Amino acid sequence: PVVSQMEELLPAAAGNLDLVTFNFFYHDTVNLGVDCAKMNRAVFNALKPGGIYIVADHSARLGTGISDTKSLHRIEESILRREVEAAGFRLAAQGEFLRNPQDTRDVQVQKNTVPNDEFVLKFVKPAQTRPTESNPM
């Protein structure tokens, strides 16, 4: 087990990982005041080139950004994607298997009467990586 701050999600010695998954909690990092840029860079630096970062979460309505993260436990997909890509990741695929167009996305996920609309994004660390704060190359 690893106990750490979200920004230091992985042990300093972690490296050359094949895969990191982050399921249905990214929206909570906003409420916790986590430095998501630092957290995503830590994941980026822990993955080997070509490594995969999967992020799944509850979908918020377009234009709501992070405003529904606490009240509805939802995050706008484009915001999450932009934050992860800013760390150097490239979007490789999107899973549609948890999508639900009947979800109005204006109800708290725990109280929804229909299955939640959820997204799954697959990011990849490019083989040629750009310098980062902790990996100046």
Side-chain angles (χ1 to χ4, degrees), residues 84-102:
V84 173
E85 288 175 332
F89 288 99
R90 180 183 53 80
L91 183 68
Q94 300 178 53
E96 301 297 322
F97 53 93
L98 295 177
R99 292 291 190 182
N100 181 14
Q102 283 74 43

Side-chain angles (χ1 to χ4, degrees), residues 56-130:
D57 217 323
H58 311 290
S59 182
R61 292 166 289 162
L62 292 177
T64 58
I66 60 170
S67 65
D68 290 341
T69 58
K70 188 170 186 175
S71 60
L72 303 181
H73 295 275
R74 297 172 180 268
I75 189 167
E76 187 174 348
E77 180 180 341
S78 64
I79 298 297
L80 187 150
R81 180 177 170 180
R82 189 169 32 244
E83 288 182 1
V84 173
E85 288 175 332
F89 288 99
R90 180 183 53 80
L91 183 68
Q94 300 178 53
E96 301 297 322
F97 53 93
L98 295 177
R99 292 291 190 182
N100 181 14
Q102 283 74 43
D103 181 9
T104 58
R105 298 180 287 167
D106 60 355
V107 176
Q108 188 179 36
V109 297
Q110 297 91 338
K111 296 181 180 181
N112 210 350
T113 58
V114 299
N116 295 310
D117 181 54
E118 297 163 333
F119 57 89
V120 180
L121 303 176
K122 176 183 178 182
F123 297 94
V124 66
K125 178 179 179 175
Q128 295 294 324
T129 61
R130 66 180 188 191

Side-chain angles (χ1 to χ4, degrees), residues 2 4 8-20 41-48 125 134:
V2 175
S4 67
E8 293 145 10
L9 192 57
L10 301 164
N16 211 33
L17 299 177
D18 293 312
L19 172 71
V20 172
R41 278 192 309 272
V43 173
F44 185 89
N45 290 332
L47 286 166
K48 68 181 183 182
K125 178 179 179 175
S134 62

Side-chain angles (χ1 to χ4, degrees), residues 22-33:
F22 202 116
N23 295 320
F24 305 102
F25 191 75
Y26 196 101
H27 68 273
D28 285 315
T29 62
V30 174
N31 307 327
L32 295 171

